[in-house]
Amino acid sequence: MSSLTARKITDIDLARRLVEQRGLSHVKVGVFDIDGVLRGKYMQRDKFFHALEHGFSFCDVVLGWDSKDELYDNVTYTGWHTGYPDALLRIVPESCRDLTCEGDMLLFLAEFDGPAGEICPRRLLQRVLARGGEMGFKVCGSLEYEFFLFQETPESIRDKGYRNLKPLTPDMMGYSMLRSSVHSELYHELLALSEAMDFPIEGLHTETGPGVLEAAIAVDDALPAADKGALFKVFTKVWAQRRGLMATFMAKWSPDYPGQSGHIHLSLRHTDSDTSAFFDADKPFGMSDIQRHFVAGQQKLMPEFLCLFAPTINSYTRLIPGFWAPTEATWGVENRTTALRVIPGSDKSQRVEYRLGSADANPYLALSAAIGAGLYGIAHRLEPDEPVKGNAYELDHPEHQSLPRTLWDAAQRLKASEAARELFGDAFVEHFAATREWEERQFRKHITDWELDRYFEII
């Protein structure tokens, strides 16, 4: 029993044994909401043991409010009209993590069950992956995130009104060995945290911009890959704040610097043979017919699924030419100006990179959309447009490759998407689209600095 660790927890019995072995009086339990925010609480040990077997009740308001705890007034699943009742949550034993910043404390993820499960982001991804399983595929994925670090605190950024913030380091220093060596202790701490909490970082480096880093998380099966990405975002912010710093994953915090991406790498393997479904050595670029159809589905449905990859008002400030973010539903081979980048390789490495997503996206929803669209392409034997060669920003693109330019427009495309309803279900589509409409409405209530500067005196 002494060798039992968080990573070895695969079932209810082992979860119970580990809690008992550590003599914990409480454990931490959390669930990711629509925006990818981790909501949860400490749970007393006996209650936790009961919840492992039977689930536990949790107020469904976490599916009925936004990232600022403002209540939606336009959703049907929950609200004042339902009285915000409890919903059933199921604890996921295999999600167990060590909370290294809290001694022997353990963290377990949960997911909504019953009617709430139709909206729950983690359950949505499971449904998409089940579709892939029925088609004979296992999905592997990994996430890459860019994020800025600031020498600020939650108090200081508010005192400053989010202006004149001080990044961890100055200037544009992409892939800088100077920066990573000067601040090596911070890098080592983050790398150690990623190993201890089972979202191991394969690569960590500075990106171009003051204080910006990029972390590539190790590949895994798609569901644990989503867990890793979601937990990485939360606990990178925890790690930073405990050291007097702040990390942000918002899509674009300054008009002067490139935005922050959340790139997704995906591949399919045949479940019966454990061989790549994407690699065919006899085809151009090693692309099998299956990969070609997968890319075609992603390309075709990108305009309809955009708000799952770009879920905030801020997301759309990133999607402009020349700032390393795609602006049309394009694809190419080893082309970083396109929305989809096919990466030729081998049975182990042939994949596609979905470059459209921003760092503010919910990993479960982004993966659901990227994988679901690809599976749709395979099922319907879709064909992609011709691959882009050269700079995609400089080309004229057909109308069907155009992406919505605002969150509101993106929400309307999702609501009208028959493919989205087929893949994700009516309940999720209606709920999520309504939450994005709500987000746009909240934005419209505010007057920006740009408007004051432009109109206050002269108009």
Side-chain angles (χ1 to χ4, degrees), residues 334-408:
E334 281 293 12
N335 190 333
R336 286 183 169 86
T337 69
T338 57
L340 299 166
R341 170 186 167 224
V342 169
I343 303 174
S346 64
D347 178 85
K348 298 296 184 183
S349 61
Q350 183 88 12
R351 62 194 188 276
V352 59
E353 179 187 19
Y354 206 109
R355 294 181 55 80
L356 182 69
S358 53
D360 59 1
N362 183 329
Y364 298 102
L365 301 186
L367 278 166
S368 295
I371 295 165
L375 295 176
Y376 183 92
I378 295 172
H380 293 270
R381 301 185 66 80
L382 299 181
E383 294 293 336
D385 296 335
E386 288 297 312
V388 171
K389 297 179 181 179
N391 188 350
Y393 299 124
E394 295 181 343
L395 303 178
D396 292 327
H397 298 280
E399 180 63 27
H400 68 265
Q401 292 183 0
S402 296
L403 298 175
R405 301 305 182 192
T406 68
L407 182 58
W408 182 273

Side-chain angles (χ1 to χ4, degrees), residues 72-76 430 433-435 437-438 441:
Y72 301 129
D73 64 7
N74 62 338
V75 297
T76 59
E430 291 291 339
T435 69
E437 291 173 346
W438 162 271
R441 284 169 48 211

